[in-house]
Every structure is written in structure tokens, then in C-alpha cells.
Amino acid sequence: CMALMAFMAVSCAQSGMSPQDRLTVNDKKINEIIAQMTLEEKLGQLNCLVAPRGAVTGEQQSTGVAEKVRAGAVGSLFGRHDRDELMAWQKMAVEESRLGIPLLFGADIIHGYRTTFPVPLALAATWNPESMERVARISTVEASADGITWLYNPMVDICRDGRWGRCVEGAGEDPFLSSVYAAAMVRGTQGDLQDDDEILACVKHFALYGASEAGRDYRETDMSPARMFNEYFPPYKAAVDAGVATVMTSFNDVNGIPATGNRWLMTEVLRDFWGFEGFVVSDYNAVGEMVRHGIGDRKAVSEMALNAGVDSDMMTEGFVELAASVKEGKVSMKAVDQACRRVLEAKDKLGLLDAPYKFLRCEEERIYTQEHRAAARRIAAESFVLLKNDDVLPLSSKKKVALVGPLADAGAQYTGSWQGAAYDDCKSLLTAMTEAGLDVIFARGSNMLEDEELEQAACRNRKYVRDSRSESEMIREAVNAARRSDVVLAAVGEPAWMTGEASSRTSLDIPQPQKRLLEALVRTGKPVILLLFSGRPMTLEWENDNMAAILDVWYGGSEAADAIVDVVYGKVNPSGKLTMTFPRNVGQIPIYYNMKNGGRPAKTDSYKRFSSCYIDSPNSPLYPFGYGLSYTTYEYGDFSLSAETMPAD
Ligand code: NOJ
């Protein structure tokens, strides 16, 4: 509080105003706008819609959104990255709607805009909040240069279940580490919201989305308050404490009540207990989905969400129909005014009410710069986790290498599930190795997946062309390449869209055609180095027994290929450590490091009846939380405690 007052005093002294004036000027401005607004216009500010592609530049006929913007029935648009289109939308709102209130432009910029960084689970493995903040800063500089003013980031859902595809978007299983990262991302995105490259962050998905039952997306969560507050809430709260401007609700229900209509969460916990002052947006049609949760019809769920404390409705368009509910007394005018005020305040914080085109400047030169790309390459290398090494890595550039696997020449996959505005033609490992002058024989060796249709969906058609040869023909070629080489580099794993939203799996194995390729390569007797592309913990017991080395390279972003070469050839010493436990098998899930003892803990990994263990598997994971090797060995020792007894904090 003291720091804020000091800051206000300095910035107001610079502008010749007293701190009191400054606060009231903003309030006055917003009061004046609200006083002029009709009920429909107020509800319009709460409406958040996808900006249809090409609708205002003439490539596509208007889909009705344009009419709504002109009528003042839209407060924010999202999902478009094209500066000219955003400019056209903003002009429409400012020049053609009655009150000329500018729009917010939202976007899912999760791990980079055009310069793409590793996926968040990989970024977490850096254990480096400075890198995290830098990622957020660069993403924001690039996105805001294209006119985007609101990032749907950070995603901080704690997750202990690798089956859930969206574990790739968070920082893993630890509440403390995730909290540190959450604050870093908010700082990197928002700064103090004074400059024209500092924009709104949105912490999501409030709350407990990462605890979806059975690892299946959009499912319910049922959890004790103790677990919520100790283990799942801290990262959301850390973002609030760091001043995050907006919060997004989650799709799941929480102890029987959908999060999006949950007043306890959205008002009591978030605002009354934590002091959040920004605005809450629903997730995509999460208000509408409450109908299928069984809450009531569209009108009833919209009333419930607004009354719960949700200020903006993404994609249901139920809030814009609430005028009747206000007349019936089911929603108070005060609640509408409050939600509208919060959205306007966010616009004002950005300076949009005074300068609506502030972010729509032409600054191509700030995007995908050499400096940004160098940071992405460094951070990608920092995120890779060395899971096994039988003294085969780093490789000498003198070795002849067989580069095999469907991910070796599929650079467009490296940008992961949320690729921002990244180019699809991002460099492949094959190209990077060739450019580096390394002695490489390439053979794809297998397709990504057995099922062609699933493969296309999982590759998201990003320039991936399925090989039409038979499996045995492809394997034969790869085995020949291995025989003619000193060592095999196998680039295998999940295509990018096998993780992310709606990508839950029941098996965490490397997909079968690729696994059969690995088996054939092992039979050659050549050392096989597994470069694992993944966005979740995988089950790798066989690989751990049979590979000479395993390096998890996740989806490393637009500069991943060069970063992989840096680490494999020893220019960079791997330092990443897991932030999500890698189980031995799916049956161990949920598995995480900070589990409780219980009354009958198993003391060893061998089976002991009447202790807490499995008949058919050890309790211990394959690779625990915090695990990760480097090219050096370290010994820790000579520990001592600073005191004999310590308080709980
Ligand atoms: C749904 C996702 O759950 C959320 O993370 C995302 O921000 C919105 N869609 C908007 O794209």
C-alpha cells in the first residue's frame, strides 16, 4: 500500500495532479460514460465474441458481429492476430457505435506470439522465473505490436494427471513453483500497465480445472476446501496478488456447482477474501454449458453467472439478453453497472478510453527479432530434461548419425498446441543438423500414429504429409541408416495436438508405430538416443531400459531445432528438471511428490501386504518431480540443520 501510494505520488507529481485527482478523474470519466449508457449498451460491454476472419476487410461477408459492434453490443473480441483487421474492428466500434467505446482484443498467446517459446510445462522445467517473465514480456511486446490488448495467460491449473491433455499448458504439480511463475507471467505481461507494450493478463482457469476427474477434459472436480486452499488455489492467488487484471472461469464444476456460476468462488474467495478488483470473464461458452450441467435454461444460467460475479460472457451471448431479467428483478441494475464498470476500468487502465488506437501501430520490426529468437533458443535449451544418459551424450560432431523418427523433419510440430501467430514453417531438426554441417543420414522410419484421421487432427494439418509407404518398408530404411551410422538419434513422441485442450489419453506410451520403430532400432545394437517430443509425463519404462539416452525436448517452440543441436552436441549443458512426476504406468496416476504419508506407508518399493502399495507395480515413479540430469555429476553432502526444531512456516 505504501509503495503504491509512493508510486501514485510520483506519477501524479509528474502529471501535475494530486493522487486524489488522478483517481477521481478516472472514476469521473467512467461515471460519465455509464450515465450515458442504455441498459443494452451496458450489457453489450459484457459481451466477448470471436472476431470472424476477414469480416471487415471484405474477404468474408459479415457474420452479424459487425452489426453488433456498431450497435454497441460487444465489449471485446478475440482470436484474430491480424493488425489490419483489428484496426478495422476498432474503427467500427469507435466511429460507428453511438458511444464510441473501444474494444478489447483478446488472444491465446500462451507461450509466445510469432517468436514461439517452449510449451508452459517445458518452460516450468527451467525452474527459472526470470526466463518465464522474459517469455511473457517478449510475447506481450510482439502481440501488442499487432494490436492485441488482452492475453489469456497465465494458465496456472495444478495438475497431477498426465492423461489430461491440458497439463501441457500449466507449470505442473507444485503449488509454490506454479505461484512463483504465475506472478512472473503477470509481471511480464502487465508491467505497470503504463507503456504501450504492457497489456492485460488473464489468469485461468478458475478454479481447479486441472483436477478434472479421470484426466478427462471438462469433467467435474470434487475437493475438500483444505486441499483447494493448500494445493490448488495458491497460483491463482499469486496472480491476483501480482495484480492480474482479469480472471477466466473454468468449465468444470466445483463440488457440484459449475465454476462459472459459483458465487462462492467468483465473489467470496476471489474478491472478498483475496481482494481481486479486475473483471472476470467466462471461458468459451462456459455460461451456456451450464444448461447441460443441468442448472436451467439459457436465461437462468446467464442470471446465475452474472449474479455469481462473472462480468464478461465469452461466446454464449446470454448476458446481452439479460434486460428482461433486470426488469423482473432477477438481476439487479447494480450488478450490471458493476460488471460494466469493471470492463470499462480495464479499458481505462490500458489508456484505450483516451487513445483507442494506441496499440494499433505498425511495428512489424518488433516481432520475431533476432534478440527475441536468441532468447527463445536459449530458453528452449534451458527447458530440455535429460532423463537418462549412458555416457553417450553429448555427441561428438565427428560421429555419423542416423536421424530417424517422424518428428525429425516435422518442424511445424515444435511450436506445440498453442502456437500464437507462429509460422508453420519453423525449422526442423533435420534442417538444423544439415545447416550445422553434421554427418547425418535421415530416414523417417514411421508415421506419427496408426490412425490416419487421428494423425491429421493431432498434427493439425501443419504441413505434415503422411508417408504412404508400408510400415516394414519405412522401418527397413531406418534400420539400414542405423547400421551405416555410429549412433541413432530418434525424434519421436506425440504430435503437437496430441496434448492441449480436448486431448486426454488413456495410454501415455509413445504411439505404437513409433515404438515399433524404436524396437527395431534397438535390435541393430547401435546406441539409440531418444529425443522425446511430448507435452505431458509419458510412461517410458521400456525406453529407460533400452535407450542409451533420453532427452525430453517437449515442444520447444520456433527455435527448438537449433536448441536441440546446442544440447545434443554439448554447446549447452542440460539443466531442466521435471515439474510433473513421470509415472511408471498409468495405473499409478494420480502420482505427485507432495502426497501424504497415510497411516500405513510403504517403506520400500517391494510389495508388502497391508501397507499402502500395489501388488503389480512399485509405488515410486520412474522419474520423480525435480528429476533431471546434466553432463556433469554433482555430489551434495555435509548437510546440517540450522536448528533442532523449526516452526511450521
Ligand atoms: C477455451 C480455453 O479453455 C481457454 O483456455 C481459452 O482461453 C479460450 N477457449 C479462448 O480461446
Side-chain angles (χ1 to χ4, degrees), residues 416-494:
S417 59
W418 282 120
Q419 62 159 354
Y423 295 117
D424 269 356
D425 50 5
C426 115
K427 194 193 283 181
S428 72
L429 183 54
L430 175 59
T431 307
M433 290 182 72
T434 313
E435 279 176 5
L438 295 158
D439 193 0
V440 188
I441 314 176
F442 169 69
R444 195 184 259 189
S446 82
N447 279 310
M448 299 265 190
L449 304 178
E450 209 99 67
D451 182 315
E452 197 172 335
E453 212 176 303
L454 186 61
E455 183 179 70
Q456 279 310 311
C459 294
R460 236 190 170 184
N461 299 324
R462 285 190 206 155
K463 295 195 171 162
Y464 178 76
V465 181
R466 189 177 171 88
D467 202 310
S468 57
R469 289 174 295 168
S470 70
E471 177 167 316
S472 52
E473 203 178 331
M474 290 175 80
I475 288 187
R476 206 175 314 125
E477 185 192 32
V479 164
N480 279 335
R483 290 209 175 103
R484 288 188 285 137
S485 307
D486 302 312
V487 61
V488 181
L489 265 185
V492 300
E494 300 179 305

Side-chain angles (χ1 to χ4, degrees), residues 407-421:
L407 280 140
D409 66 338
Q413 297 299 316
Y414 305 173
T415 47
S417 59
W418 282 120
Q419 62 159 354

